Amino acid sequence: VQLVESGGGLVQAGGSLRLSCAASGSIFTINAMGWYRQAPGKQREFVAAITRGGSTNYADSVKGRFTISRDNAKNTVYLQMNSLKPEDTGVYYCNADAVLTSRSSYSAWGQGAQVTVSS
């Protein structure tokens, strides 16, 4: 399973960005999909997750500003980020809990997308 992210970049505080992450490979189905981020010198942290049925969960720091969504037909997850703050700066990674065509489970990670928010 490969995850390809896109949509990162540089934005001023208060601005918006939208990240996308598309999964490909020998996929039977994908259960939960999510986003994590890692700021310089810090550990990777949870940002948001969504189940196949559309239930969502967010870190307290992004509630009300970020929205996660997915397109099951395209095996793609999105993260709409509004009202961005400098502390949102970091590398954003997508994650997918996939069931392969062999019926084995596999947790895949994207390569990371840099998000930089200037003050």
Side-chain angles (χ1 to χ4, degrees):
V1 177
Q2 296 82 39
L3 300 182
V4 178
E5 304 177 23
S6 60
L10 172 64
V11 66
Q12 288 188 332
S16 298
L17 283 174
R18 188 189 194 215
L19 300 180
S20 300
C21 174
S24 62
S26 301
I27 300 169
F28 175 69
T29 190
I30 298 178
N31 296 320
M33 302 184 82
W35 291 93
Y36 292 74
R37 67 187 180 188
Q38 187 166 17
K42 295 188 177 181
Q43 290 188 331
R44 190 175 298 187
E45 65 175 4
F46 169 78
V47 176
I50 184 168
T51 67
R52 184 170 183 80
S55 296
T56 58
N57 187 30
Y58 296 93
D60 288 343
S61 59
V62 307
K63 281 181 181 176
R65 300 187 298 121
F66 290 11
T67 302
I68 189 171
S69 61
R70 64 188 285 176
D71 184 331
N72 291 331
K74 296 181 178 179
N75 286 333
T76 299
V77 63
Y78 307 96
L79 185 68
Q80 177 66 44
M81 304 182 290
N82 298 329
S83 302
L84 282 161
K85 304 175 181 180
E87 50 263 43
D88 294 318
T89 294
V91 178
Y92 282 68
Y93 298 91
C94 68
N95 172 259
D97 289 330
V99 177
L100 306 183
T101 52
S102 64
R103 298 306 189 265
S104 60
S105 298
Y106 185 80
S107 183
W109 288 91
Q111 81 283 4
Q114 178 68 46
V115 171
T116 303
V117 184
S118 63
S119 58

